[in-house]
Amino acid sequence: MSLIGQDPKDKIIQRFARHVSSGKAEFFSQVGVDFIFGKREGVYVWDVAGERRLIDCHCNGGVFNLGHRHPRVIAALKRALEELDIGNHHFISEHRAMLAERLAALCPGDLKRVVFGVGGGEAVDTAIKLARGHTGRPNVISARGGYHGHTGLALATGDEQYRQPFGPLPPGFCHVPFGDLAALEAAMDGDTAAVIFETIPATMGIVLPPQDFYAGVRQLCDRHGAVMIIDEVQTGLGRCGDVWGINTYGVIPDILVTAKGLSGGIYPISATLYREHLDHFFRRNPFIHISTFGGAEVGCYAALEVLDILSEPGFMEHVRQMAGLFQAGFEQLKKNHPAVLVDARQRGLMMGLKLASEAFGPMMTLAGFHHGLLTIYANHDQSVNQLLPPLTIQPDQVAQALQSLDNMLAWLEAQVA
Ligand SMILES: Cc1ncc(COP(=O)(O)O)c(C=O)c1O
């Protein structure tokens, strides 16, 4: 018997409301979304009741970079399960070492060392701990409206709305406007341990920084002896048409954080990669940071398969080609719907549609459920709809997604006419 749809929809919703989140259940009921993830395969997700199919252009921020249930990732995990388990994080691990070596080989410069975690927030926390441990300084600067997760230190880097109820928060965190080198320079001094940015902040609305921004951040960090941390949780692993989004800006950070897509959507794993000159800290304190499930040995094989797939000849070229199809499609959509579509933001398949009003993002998300597309508005700028399709999307599916967007924008226009 299938695991999907064992109970009718209303029973699932009631059970979820009673035992998981009454608030979420109420929210979705109020906004008229009753989609429950059922079957999922490749670029598609189906409603549990089976009658609706969407192209997943949300992909959980890149978890499903390779689409849903990639057969090679599943096979790799099954193979690992025949002989391995989580492993013991206190000891030397053959499998963690293999994955770390592969990750390091995919990184620019001397980003050669890895601390494993389970999720993105944890990996960001590790990055900040290392920056503070390395510099002996307290302060961390991040972008106002950015997002690095909901764990302790990551939460402190993030947006006011998530931090405010949970005070007192750790001191030493300061927020500057994204993309503004002068503001960053003014905030930095001899107490700055680290500067952390998402290469392209997703929750802020897929905001593309000026092309020379990261070269400037690099220079400022070098001048002040601060650690440059780049969060590649969404932009990494091929999303921007290169292994790392930051590669497209020609800059090497001191610490790079990857998570979501490294799981292949199958087994959670994250990694904090750091440069050789930071290693003295963990060398002196090798047991100072612990994550029991970080780099779980069976998960290493899912991640290794992910890295194999994205390293294959033609993979990045495919991403860039699909990005080109979207780019051409966006030009047409702008012509078709000038009253509601303001701009298309894009780097590779990291994409967002900027709409004419904050009200339109949620409306587009709703429209997507009726027009075959899963797309979520950016929480910190609701006039932007995030579009992160699987990197494995094919040309006919890009055409389908663009047709859906055309229909959704036409519906939006009709609502506001
Ligand atoms: C850019 C970025 N960093 C960090 C995180 C946190 O990752 P996780 O939810 O796995 O803790 C997210 C999650 O959405 C993210 O988008």
Side-chain angles (χ1 to χ4, degrees):
M1 184 185 151
S2 170
L3 299 178
I4 295 168
Q6 298 176 64
D7 283 309
K9 236 173 161 172
D10 54 349
K11 192 160 174 203
I12 299 172
I13 294 171
Q14 275 169 21
R15 186 182 286 141
F16 185 90
R18 195 168 327 118
H19 298 293
V20 183
S21 173
S22 55
K24 274 189 191 174
E26 193 175 309
F27 171 81
F28 286 120
S29 151
Q30 274 168 3
V31 298
V33 172
D34 69 345
F35 192 89
I36 299 178
F37 281 72
K39 179 180 161 189
R40 66 284 320 250
E41 206 166 301
V43 301
Y44 297 109
V45 292
W46 281 258
D47 183 53
V48 72
E51 77 268 15
R52 249 180 302 162
R53 184 182 80 165
L54 310 178
I55 294 186
D56 190 352
C57 281
H58 177 235
C59 281
N60 288 20
V63 169
F64 301 111
N65 272 349
L66 301 181
H68 290 270
R69 299 181 46 74
H70 195 293
R72 282 179 54 185
V73 181
I74 291 175
L77 183 64
K78 279 186 175 164
R79 169 77 188 89
L81 284 167
E82 280 167 20
E83 288 188 81
L84 304 174
D85 53 19
I86 301 285
N88 185 323
H89 62 297
H90 289 295
F91 293 95
I92 289 173
S93 158
E94 174 180 0
H95 315 285
R96 285 176 169 90
M98 260 165 66
L99 176 59
E101 186 182 57
R102 282 299 312 282
L103 275 167
L106 287 172
C107 279
D110 63 343
L111 279 160
K112 294 292 173 226
R113 298 193 174 266
V114 184
V115 182
F116 288 112
V118 178
E122 178 190 350
V124 167
D125 282 2
T126 306
I128 293 171
K129 284 170 76 175
L130 176 56
R132 282 179 163 174
H134 164 71
T135 58
R137 300 174 183 177
N139 293 347
V140 177
I141 303 171
S142 58
R144 194 167 298 138
Y147 182 68
H148 300 285
H150 279 175
T151 49
L153 299 172
L155 179 70
T157 66
D159 201 62
E160 169 77 18
Q161 60 178 303
Y162 305 116
R163 284 184 273 131
Q164 192 274 332
F166 302 114
L169 290 172
F173 287 81
C174 133
H175 305 83
V176 295
F178 180 67
D180 183 341
L181 279 176
L184 179 62
E185 184 167 17
M188 289 181 82
D189 58 25
D191 282 334
T192 306
V195 170
I196 176 166
F197 294 120
E198 298 163 74
T199 306
I200 296 168
T203 313
M204 199 188 286
I206 318 288
V207 179
L208 303 176
Q211 187 58 35
D212 60 354
F213 178 62
Y214 284 113
V217 174
R218 182 68 273 174
Q219 271 178 11
L220 286 174
C221 285
D222 290 343
R223 192 189 316 155
H224 289 280
V227 173
M228 178 176 176
I229 305 173
I230 287 296
D231 179 339
E232 288 272 341
V233 169
Q234 294 215 25
T235 47
L237 302 169
R239 173 60 53 191
C240 298
D242 202 322
V243 181
W244 308 111
I246 195 70
N247 291 358
T248 71
Y249 293 91
V251 171
I252 303 177
D254 299 308
I255 304 183
L256 184 153
V257 175
T258 180
K260 292 187 187 278
L262 192 59
S263 70
I266 296 291
Y267 198 99
I269 191 163
S270 64
T272 305
L273 288 128
Y274 62 94
R275 294 177 60 186
E276 294 288 0
H277 69 281
L278 303 179
D279 193 50
H280 68 96
F281 179 74
F282 283 135
R283 191 175 163 73
R284 255 187 293 123
N285 307 284
F287 296 99
I288 204 165
H289 179 83
I290 293 288
S291 173
T292 300
F293 297 117
E297 293 191 340
V298 285
C300 287
Y301 284 87
L304 278 164
E305 196 64 34
V306 168
L307 299 183
D308 277 354
I309 293 168
L310 69 84
S311 307
E312 276 170 3
F315 185 91
M316 293 302 163
E317 187 47 36
H318 173 79
V319 174
R320 292 192 282 265
Q321 275 172 8
M322 296 307 104
L325 296 180
F326 271 108
Q327 190 180 12
F330 293 154
E331 286 311 311
Q332 190 56 47
L333 290 178
K334 279 195 263 181
K335 283 189 197 128
N336 293 356
H337 308 285
V340 289
L341 179 57
V342 174
D343 195 13
R345 299 173 176 173
Q346 184 178 14
R347 200 160 190 104
L349 289 175
M350 183 84 188
M351 309 184 291
L353 294 186
K354 170 81 177 161
L355 305 163
S357 150
E358 286 262 335
F360 291 173
M363 287 169 79
M364 276 288 277
T365 295
L366 262 186
F369 287 105
H370 299 287
H371 291 281
L373 200 82
L374 182 62
T375 156
I376 310 280
Y377 54 88
N379 219 19
H380 301 168
D381 178 357
Q382 300 195 355
S383 65
V384 176
N385 263 90
Q386 302 170 331
L387 286 172
L388 278 77
L391 308 181
T392 49
I393 195 166
Q394 296 301 310
D396 59 321
Q397 295 162 335
V398 174
Q400 269 178 47
L402 287 166
Q403 183 58 57
S404 293
L405 286 169
D406 200 26
N407 296 341
M408 290 153 67
L409 289 162
W411 175 83
L412 189 58
E413 266 171 345
Q415 302 308 300
V416 295

